């Protein structure tokens, strides 16, 4: 039972809050944050804004008793190890890692500095923790368990498109959690008589090429798993889905708002509120190795009715009545 992301241009952005008033306080916690995507603008409505707000509500106020160094890789996976090493060199009290690749980079960079992760697909499988019940390492946090959630998303997609026989999977070869999706979905696909067709994309140009190939191959629908690149390019993916009149399903609500037919995944705002709670516990003296890993359990089904109209499909009532949000 478990408890309920040529020489290249420098892509990291960072902001480190240091104010004269900080020196006057009894204790200033120094935190670092690492994410694969670009810095959201504006930050406040984003899930990372939810993280900052939740920390404030727990008494950790940036600029007063907490200094946070925000680092974003702008989608450049290759820069994550360097950013992680730089964070470790600054010896913060705690690190918050958003997404699997950021957490893996931090795990390789330090085994001593406490790291709280959010939105990690398989923390045990990737060696970040020893078990869900007790971390046993310097890392703990909240897992999205994509290997468990991916089949559920595919089931929802096939419920929406019951006549689909050719299902595309958009996968990032740089994302370690994507590697086993085809194998894990094969029994279901065989049972449902659906052919799984993987398409690889590691940058925006390859995403466009992948959708062109999907259209050429006449796939019936496509599933987009969670990934920092795909989150950052959700508008591009939505536009390509509309251009090619392709039904797309994904995990993140933003994708539905940008043109996917539906999304089904964990509530990211709730997840990062929980990440803030873990950070608070560690900053107050708890040791990551003694804490369990929490599994996200708050799932949201979002359906875009306007996309349904454009695609000229009629979603079953059984699916619509279960939707948490209709766009």
């Amino acid at each position: 039972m478990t408890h309920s992301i040529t020489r290249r241009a420098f892509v990291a952005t960072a902001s480190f809050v240091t104010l004269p008033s900080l020196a006057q306080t009894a204790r200033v916690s120094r935190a670092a944050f690492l994410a694969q995507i670009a810095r959201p603008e504006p930050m406040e409505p984003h899930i990372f804004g939810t993280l900052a707000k939740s920390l404030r509500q727990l008494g950790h106020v940036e600029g007063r008793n907490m200094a946070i160094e925000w680092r974003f890789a702008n989608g450049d996976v290759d820069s994550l190890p360097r950013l992680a090493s730089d964070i470790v060199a600054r010896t913060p009290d705690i690190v918050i890692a958003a997404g699997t690749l950021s957490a893996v980079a931090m795990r390789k960079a330090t085994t001593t500095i406490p790291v709280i992760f959010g939105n990690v697909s398989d923390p045990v499988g990737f060696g970040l923790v020893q078990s869900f019940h007790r971390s046993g390492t310097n890392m703990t946090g909240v897992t999205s368990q994509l290997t468990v959630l991916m089949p559920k998303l595919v089931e929802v997609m096939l419920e929406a498109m019951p006549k689909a026989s050719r299902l595309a999977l958009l996968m990032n070869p740089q994302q370690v959690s994507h590697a086993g999706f085809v194998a894990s979905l094969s029994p279901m696909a065989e049972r449902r008589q659906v052919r799984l067709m993987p398409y690889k994309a590691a940058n925006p140009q390859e995403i466009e090429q992948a959708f062109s190939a999907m259209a050429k191959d006449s796939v019936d629908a496509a599933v987009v798993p969670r990934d920092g690149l795909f989150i950052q390019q959700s508008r591009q993916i939505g536009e390509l889905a509309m251009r090619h009149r392709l039904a797309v399903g994904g995990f993140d609500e933003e994708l539905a708002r940008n043109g996917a037919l539906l999304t089904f995944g964990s509530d990211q705002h709730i997840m990062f509120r929980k990440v803030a709670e873990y950070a608070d516990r560690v900053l107050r003296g708890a040791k990551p190795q003694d804490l369990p890993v929490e599994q996200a359990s708050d799932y949201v089904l979002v359906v875009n009715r306007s996309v349904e109209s454009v695609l000229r499909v009629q979603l079953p009532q059984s699916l619509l009545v279960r939707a948490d949000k209709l766009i």
Side-chain angles (χ1 to χ4, degrees), residues 3-327:
H3 287 72
S4 348
I5 249 190
T6 58
R7 175 178 171 83
R8 298 192 183 190
F10 179 70
V11 295
T13 61
S15 59
F16 192 76
V17 178
T18 52
L19 299 175
S21 59
L22 295 181
Q24 300 171 9
T25 62
R27 176 72 172 91
V28 176
S29 300
R30 297 176 61 250
F33 174 91
L34 180 62
Q36 177 187 343
I37 67 171
R39 182 187 180 98
E41 296 295 349
M43 175 89 87
E44 193 63 27
H46 194 268
I47 56 175
F48 300 155
T50 296
L51 169 68
K53 179 181 178 181
S54 299
L55 285 170
R56 290 195 297 270
Q57 292 173 338
L58 291 166
H60 308 283
V61 182
E62 192 173 1
R64 188 166 67 192
N65 62 353
M66 170 172 273
I68 305 178
E69 185 174 3
W70 298 89
R71 289 186 173 264
F72 298 89
N74 291 357
D76 183 1
V77 173
D78 294 336
S79 71
L80 286 172
R82 173 176 52 78
L83 294 174
S85 295
D86 189 53
I87 286 173
V88 171
R90 296 172 182 267
T91 62
D93 299 310
I94 194 172
V95 178
I96 297 173
T100 299
L101 296 181
S102 297
V104 170
M106 288 308 310
R107 179 60 176 163
K108 292 178 179 178
T110 179
T111 58
T112 56
I113 297 175
V115 177
I116 308 300
F117 54 73
N119 215 1
V120 167
S121 59
D122 185 4
V124 176
F126 295 129
L128 305 181
V129 300
Q130 294 176 3
S131 73
F132 285 103
H133 301 290
R134 184 178 182 275
S135 161
T137 71
N138 65 315
M139 308 185 79
T140 189
V142 188
T143 172
S144 56
Q145 281 288 278
L146 286 191
T147 52
V148 174
L149 192 54
M150 186 68 169
K152 295 182 181 179
L153 171 60
V154 172
E155 288 281 11
V156 171
M157 200 64 193
L158 293 177
E159 182 181 355
M161 306 288 291
K163 295 182 180 180
S165 61
R166 298 160 68 86
L167 183 66
L169 301 176
L170 184 67
M171 299 190 296
N172 186 345
Q174 295 179 311
Q175 177 60 265
V176 289
S177 63
H178 292 187
F181 279 158
V182 174
S184 66
L185 294 171
S186 292
M188 177 201 302
E190 185 176 351
R191 186 177 70 253
R192 299 290 295 267
Q193 296 184 319
V194 173
R195 179 184 174 189
L196 299 176
M197 304 175 66
Y199 296 82
K200 296 181 179 181
N203 56 57
Q205 182 180 359
E206 290 180 357
I207 292 175
E208 181 148 3
Q209 293 169 351
F211 272 85
S212 296
M214 291 178 199
K216 183 179 179 181
D217 295 339
S218 299
V219 301
D220 299 307
V223 170
V224 179
R226 183 170 288 133
D227 173 68
L229 171 66
F230 299 160
I231 292 173
Q232 186 165 303
Q233 299 301 125
S234 62
R235 178 169 296 182
Q236 177 197 18
I237 291 172
E239 290 174 351
L240 288 169
M242 289 294 90
R243 183 193 308 171
H244 295 291
R245 295 295 189 269
L246 181 62
V248 170
F251 286 110
D252 299 287
E253 181 179 336
E254 186 177 0
L255 189 61
R257 296 191 176 280
N258 282 321
L261 177 62
L262 61 84
T263 57
F264 176 72
S266 54
D267 188 316
Q268 296 288 287
H269 290 278
I270 292 178
M271 177 180 290
F272 277 90
R273 281 200 290 270
K274 292 179 178 178
V275 169
E277 291 170 1
Y278 267 85
D280 173 65
R281 293 172 68 180
V282 171
L283 288 171
R284 295 183 188 278
K287 296 184 182 300
Q289 58 263 35
D290 296 330
L291 298 176
V293 174
E294 185 166 347
Q295 180 176 331
S297 59
D298 301 283
Y299 299 120
V300 179
L301 173 60
V302 181
V303 175
N304 191 322
R305 299 303 303 274
S306 63
V307 173
E308 178 188 9
S309 176
V310 170
L311 297 179
R312 297 181 180 178
V313 299
Q314 185 172 1
L315 297 179
Q317 193 65 23
S318 60
L319 182 66
L320 294 175
V321 296
R322 299 203 315 274
D324 299 284
K325 296 181 182 180
L326 296 175
I327 300 173

